[in-house]
Amino acid sequence: MSLIEITNLSKLYKDDGVETPALHGVSFRVEAGEFVAVMGPSGSGKSTLLHVLGFLDRQTGGTYRFDGRSIDEYSEDELAQVRNEKMGFVFQAFNLLPRVSVLENVTLPLLYSSVPDREWDARAREAVSRVGLEHRMNHLASQLSGGEKQRVAIARALVMRPQVIFADEPTGNLDSKSGKTVMEIIQQLNEREGHTVILITHETYTAEHAARIIHILDGTVDSDRKVEHRHEAVDGFIK
């Protein structure tokens, strides 16, 4: 059974009576433990696809099954619970609270979970350590570099020990060196710890950290291929 299975997925936006198709006829599967990059130019539908896959939006047509269950079977509360407990998100804009410490930012998903509060501190500290930021634990997010902020965002995505990590243009606001570090961490999470990763990117170099690339064009799957010359995961922060 695939972790993610979408069949003939479509998404149609309506605004003042005008219909704009964003996705139509998209079908593919993602197995547990895969690292898949979704590529495409601006306006291709890749961000819309991420929103549907991450339970941030619902499809207009077709089917989406996550971990064997159709999204249509979930109530809104159940969607929120699965999104919190089984999905981790890393966004281009980091989405950290600037006047809050690294540790507190990473703890945030736990506040809305069923994890006992006595475990929060240890879990958050472990997640921060896994991205190599022990020395920044008590710094405010506003005191960090862009690369460090994204590593905090990765730690926050990890703290709930999710089944899948969605990374939406995670290097988009970073310089090349910081972006390379972030992608090496994400690749290590996949190769060494078995996290399923779905990466949204428009950059070929970034996509080639994945094992498979799905190219989206005009709301449809243009190609779906294995990466022949994948970047090697180097020894880094993941312990």
Side-chain angles (χ1 to χ4, degrees), residues 2-234:
S2 302
L3 178 62
I4 287 172
E5 182 178 355
I6 61 174
T7 306
N8 292 323
L9 196 78
S10 65
K11 178 64 180 178
L12 187 69
Y13 291 105
K14 296 182 180 180
D15 185 18
D16 292 332
V18 178
E19 296 185 345
T20 304
L23 298 170
H24 44 93
V26 176
S27 300
F28 61 81
R29 297 182 180 186
V30 177
E31 305 301 324
E34 271 199 278
F35 187 168
V36 178
V38 178
M39 287 192 69
S42 178
S44 62
K46 60 185 186 298
S47 292
T48 298
L49 179 61
L50 173 75
H51 289 163
V52 173
L53 295 181
F55 286 12
L56 300 170
D57 200 356
R58 288 182 184 261
Q59 78 272 20
T60 305
T63 60
Y64 171 25
R65 301 184 70 83
F66 179 82
D67 203 17
R69 186 178 177 190
S70 171
I71 186 176
D72 296 326
E73 298 174 9
Y74 290 88
S75 67
E76 291 301 322
D77 286 344
E78 288 175 323
L79 289 176
Q81 182 179 5
V82 171
R83 192 165 55 239
N84 175 253
E85 296 182 355
K86 296 186 178 183
M87 299 176 175
F89 295 88
V90 181
F91 294 103
Q92 178 176 339
F94 317 133
N95 294 346
L96 303 179
L97 298 179
R99 305 303 300 175
V100 168
S101 74
V102 167
L103 188 63
E104 290 170 313
N105 266 288
V106 174
T107 302
L108 283 174
L110 296 166
L111 304 183
Y112 309 98
S113 75
S114 59
V115 177
D117 56 8
R118 64 179 179 275
E119 298 179 17
W120 292 358
D121 186 68
R123 274 216 194 191
R125 288 179 182 275
E126 176 193 16
V128 174
S129 296
R130 287 167 71 192
V131 297
L133 287 178
E134 302 96 323
H135 62 297
R136 294 295 218 177
M137 194 88 67
N138 296 312
H139 283 66
L140 300 180
S142 60
Q143 298 174 316
L144 306 181
S145 68
E148 288 172 333
K149 288 177 182 178
Q150 196 59 291
R151 283 155 63 184
V152 174
I154 293 171
R156 183 184 56 196
L158 290 173
V159 76
M160 288 300 298
R161 300 169 185 170
Q163 286 181 271
V164 59
I165 297 171
F166 293 101
D168 188 5
E169 300 281 7
T171 63
N173 283 338
L174 305 179
D175 60 69
S176 58
K177 182 179 179 181
S178 297
K180 185 173 184 290
T181 298
V182 163
M183 287 311 305
E184 286 174 349
I185 290 174
I186 292 173
Q187 188 171 349
Q188 288 172 43
L189 289 170
N190 169 253
E191 292 188 359
R192 300 181 184 179
E193 300 192 5
H195 285 279
T196 305
V197 178
I198 296 181
L199 166 72
I200 303 295
T201 184
H202 66 279
E203 300 172 333
T204 300
Y205 178 85
T206 300
E208 287 176 346
H209 284 273
R212 173 183 167 202
I213 296 176
I214 297 173
H215 193 270
I216 302 290
L217 184 65
D218 296 332
T220 64
V221 175
D222 184 53
S223 64
D224 185 345
R225 63 178 178 84
K226 292 184 178 180
V227 177
E228 295 182 5
H229 303 290
R230 187 183 186 189
H231 299 302
E232 293 186 8
V234 299

